[in-house]
Amino acid sequence: MSLLYRIHHDRLDHYALAHLFYPFKVSLDQCPILKAKGCRPLQMTFEDQLKIPTYYHLEEYSSGLQVLKQENFAATHIAPPGGIEKSAFFEAINTRGPEQMVHVYEDLQKQATKKLPVAKEFSELGDLIAVDGSLITATMSMLWADYRNGANKAKVHLGFDIGRGIPQKVTLTDGKGDERPQAERLVAPGQTDVYDRYYQCYKNFDDWQDQERHFVCRIKASSRKTELRINEVDPDSHIFYDAVVLLGTKTVNQTNREVRVVGYKADGKSYWVATDRFDLTAEHIALNYKLRWTIESFFAWWKRHLKVYHLIARSPYGLLMQILTGLISSLLLAIYCHEEYGGRVSVNRVRELLCKIRNEAVEDAANRGLDPPDIIDLDFGAYATF
């Protein structure tokens, strides 16, 4: 029995760190066991391998490994019992645990989807998934991350659940990786995908409808439209065009299936959007595309506050593992903030969580007359059910 469970059994369910990591513990119940590939035993378990980068994403440190040695709390509760050297950590990140990491991410994504409600203002719009790519600056030694002369970059492609505000599926390519082929990997039939203008492709518009993948995609104003039916538009609305058309030039690249095109104005700029959502109002179609900004906001949050783009791995394998830990961290925070505050993740809530973790450790150690915080054993086996 862990010391935390033995001493603090009556208040265990109030521990913020235990609360944050509990969904991860649930995911581990059915997770494949990480085994050593050779004769040398593992220096850290998969739990350690995931807790360390997760703590790194939460903390405002330039080096997540340095803090494991210099900060008493992290050395006690986050690092393995015997500590971990940089060489062993980087070896693990770059060579071990892909099956386990993917399992945990997919399971947490399912947990978050079940627990987090769709925002009320989006409930009538369907299962909206914004799709986009984001470049990650790579080092010159990362030859696989081809981008252009004098610059290497990787690109993460993400599907983002707009209604719940959480990441969904993800892929990783070099910086030149085309975003359009990734679309079908990031969304599922029945969902409505929200795309920027780069994804405009008339063949894809037909294929997506055949696959029952709904779409809302911005198109060029100059796109050729053969009008089949024109819908009435309120002259006082920001919608100025609504029609069912065939897009493209006949015998060249024209769509085989009907497409609805909606034109609207926002902030003095005109937008043209193609969709197969014939069931929604033109105003709802315009709102669907406006909501695409949520994935841009997520990428900005990810980069600024979770430090996902600060490289701790150089190989494609290691960088994907780093990306997955960043997504896992965001899912853990999303579940925690929903259960604790009934709302979404914010900077203030993350900072409050970190303060709460330390205050609880120091307070309980002081109540027992012990030196803070080395006596607290945050063992997953002691985690309470929330």
Side-chain angles (χ1 to χ4, degrees):
M1 182 180 296
S2 75
L3 189 57
L4 174 63
Y5 188 89
R6 187 166 65 243
I7 296 178
H8 304 298
H9 174 74
D10 57 330
R11 293 192 57 223
L12 182 61
D13 62 345
H14 295 295
Y15 273 82
L17 191 60
H19 190 170
L20 176 68
F21 278 124
Y22 181 73
F24 170 40
K25 184 265 182 185
V26 173
S27 299
L28 288 176
D29 288 344
Q30 302 298 324
C31 185
I33 298 175
L34 180 64
K35 299 179 180 180
K37 296 181 179 179
C39 298
R40 188 177 65 177
L42 295 174
Q43 295 189 42
M44 61 179 181
T45 66
F46 178 70
E47 297 174 6
D48 300 322
Q49 186 173 330
L50 186 52
K51 282 195 294 183
I52 291 172
T54 298
Y55 185 73
Y56 164 76
H57 290 313
L58 295 178
E59 279 290 358
E60 298 178 350
Y61 289 94
S62 59
S63 173
L65 296 178
Q66 182 180 5
V67 71
L68 294 179
K69 291 185 176 181
Q70 295 183 348
E71 185 192 74
N72 208 25
F73 179 85
T76 304
H77 308 310
I78 305 300
I84 186 72
E85 295 296 329
K86 284 187 177 182
S87 58
F89 175 78
F90 285 123
E91 179 185 3
I93 286 293
N94 283 281
T95 63
R96 297 174 181 171
E99 184 181 4
Q100 291 79 6
M101 195 70 76
V102 170
H103 170 86
V104 169
Y105 173 66
E106 291 180 345
D107 187 79
L108 283 176
Q109 207 281 326
K110 292 177 182 176
Q111 288 188 53
T113 299
K114 290 180 180 178
K115 291 183 177 182
L116 275 59
V118 175
K120 292 182 180 180
E121 59 268 33
F122 309 149
S123 59
E124 298 180 358
L125 304 180
D127 191 2
L128 299 181
I129 307 296
V131 176
D132 202 1
S134 180
L135 290 170
I136 302 174
T137 300
T139 64
M140 293 304 296
S141 63
M142 297 167 66
L143 300 179
W144 62 270
D146 187 27
Y147 186 58
R148 63 173 178 237
N149 290 337
N152 289 340
K153 293 189 179 183
K155 184 182 289 185
V156 57
H157 308 266
L158 183 68
F160 187 77
D161 186 335
I162 294 175
R164 296 177 178 84
I166 56 175
Q168 200 173 59
K169 295 182 180 180
V170 63
T171 60
L172 181 71
T173 66
D174 60 56
K176 290 183 178 179
D178 191 358
E179 296 180 11
R180 281 178 287 191
Q182 308 300 321
E184 293 183 6
R185 300 184 179 96
L186 301 175
V187 296
Q191 295 177 325
T192 298
D193 319 324
V194 186
Y195 300 108
D196 200 2
R197 192 166 58 191
Y198 177 78
Y199 290 86
Q200 177 178 350
C201 176
Y202 300 149
K203 182 180 184 303
N204 285 348
F205 291 171
D206 286 333
D207 291 343
W208 291 340
Q209 291 191 70
D210 291 339
Q211 299 163 6
E212 298 184 352
R213 301 174 191 267
H214 304 300
F215 63 90
V216 174
C217 181
R218 185 181 175 188
I219 61 175
K220 296 178 181 178
S222 59
S223 299
R224 187 180 295 272
K225 298 176 282 291
T226 302
E227 296 178 344
L228 303 177
R229 297 184 300 278
I230 299 177
N231 299 322
E232 186 177 352
V233 173
D234 184 347
D236 296 327
S237 171
H238 65 295
I239 306 295
F240 61 81
Y241 183 86
D242 184 6
V244 177
V245 306
L246 293 177
L247 283 172
T249 303
K250 190 175 182 179
T251 72
V252 178
N253 63 347
Q254 191 175 65
T255 58
N256 295 319
R257 302 191 61 163
E258 296 179 356
V259 176
R260 183 181 182 186
V261 173
V262 173
Y264 71 94
K265 289 187 177 182
D267 300 324
K269 187 174 182 179
S270 296
Y271 294 84
W272 294 83
V273 177
T275 182
D276 69 333
R277 293 296 302 272
F278 301 98
D279 57 315
L280 298 178
T281 66
E283 287 76 14
H284 279 160
I285 296 299
L287 176 58
N288 277 1
Y289 184 73
K290 290 179 183 178
L291 291 174
R292 189 187 168 279
W293 66 268
T294 57
I295 192 171
E296 302 290 351
S297 298
F298 177 78
F299 279 135
W301 159 269
W302 225 29
K303 182 176 183 179
R304 184 178 306 169
H305 299 293
L306 296 188
K307 304 185 299 296
V308 178
Y309 292 7
H310 183 83
L311 297 179
I312 59 175
R314 301 292 185 268
S315 67
Y317 179 103
L319 184 55
L320 179 60
M321 294 286 277
Q322 177 180 337
I323 294 298
L324 286 174
T325 60
L327 292 172
I328 287 171
S329 299
S330 66
L331 288 172
L332 290 174
L333 287 171
I335 294 173
Y336 174 86
C337 288
H338 170 69
E339 294 179 341
E340 186 73 11
Y341 303 103
R344 297 195 175 185
V345 181
S346 69
V347 176
N348 289 336
R349 286 171 178 170
V350 173
R351 289 173 178 170
E352 183 176 337
L353 167 63
L354 293 173
C355 291
K356 192 173 183 180
I357 288 172
R358 283 172 175 72
N359 290 340
E360 288 175 345
V362 173
E363 176 188 349
D364 285 355
N367 289 340
R368 297 292 172 175
L370 301 170
D371 294 332
D374 298 274
I375 53 84
I376 301 178
D377 174 18
L378 283 177
D379 174 20
F380 273 137
Y383 285 4
T385 300
F386 294 91

